[in-house]
Amino acid sequence: MTYRVTVRDHMMIAHSLRGEVFGPAQQLHGATYVVDATFRATDVDAAGIVVDIGCAMDQLKAVLADLTYRNLDDHAELTGVITTTEVLAKLVADRLADRAHAGLLGRPAAELDGIEVTLRESHIAWASYERGL
């Protein structure tokens, strides 16, 4: 059995995707992602929670802050990276994992099983990345 808690935010970005496979998305374009971050644990803690929802919301907003309203083609951390939805989901999950290990979720990372991040491009298309802690 696994407990899950999900928090949601969004980010608006611009980017271009290099490679013929991307067709018109090779040109600079914008995307608005709904970002869901799900935290998993085998059990709840003594307070009956997986993570502190307020802390999780704050940390998700923090990891998205330097991506939002940015052209990712110009982002130093993403130089040479094809910023597909899948790649961005991993980036957000890894950043959240770092914050979990820093104790910023109101519960020790060792008590959590994992994180899943889903970026929804629209109501018909999304990508996710799931990782352990």
Side-chain angles (χ1 to χ4, degrees):
M1 295 187 345
T2 301
Y3 291 90
R4 298 174 190 272
V5 167
T6 301
V7 295
R8 177 174 279 179
D9 203 335
H10 73 284
M11 67 177 175
M12 299 171 73
I13 59 101
H15 65 166
S16 56
L17 302 172
R18 292 178 315 281
E20 225 172 281
V21 67
F22 296 109
Q26 292 177 83
Q27 302 301 311
L28 184 64
H29 64 281
T32 299
Y33 294 106
V34 173
V35 183
D36 291 330
T38 300
F39 303 89
R40 293 188 331 269
T42 304
D43 206 353
V44 293
D45 68 6
I49 62 174
V50 173
V51 294
D52 180 309
I53 289 176
C55 290
M57 290 175 68
D58 290 346
Q59 295 311 312
L60 178 57
K61 183 171 286 309
V63 302
L64 298 177
D66 75 320
L67 303 172
T68 301
Y69 295 112
R70 294 279 309 272
N71 179 350
L72 300 185
D73 296 348
D74 298 334
H75 193 291
E77 184 181 355
L78 300 171
T79 299
V81 175
I82 300 174
T83 54
T84 62
T85 305
E86 296 89 338
V87 167
L88 293 174
K90 180 182 185 308
L91 174 67
V92 173
D94 289 345
R95 287 178 169 193
L96 285 171
D98 290 345
R99 289 169 179 268
H101 286 290
L104 300 175
L105 294 176
R107 185 170 183 187
E111 295 179 10
L112 298 173
D113 295 333
I115 296 171
E116 179 178 3
V117 171
T118 300
L119 271 61
R120 298 176 191 280
E121 290 191 63
S122 72
H123 66 287
I124 59 170
W126 56 89
S128 299
Y129 180 80
E130 186 173 357
R131 59 161 289 158
L133 288 171

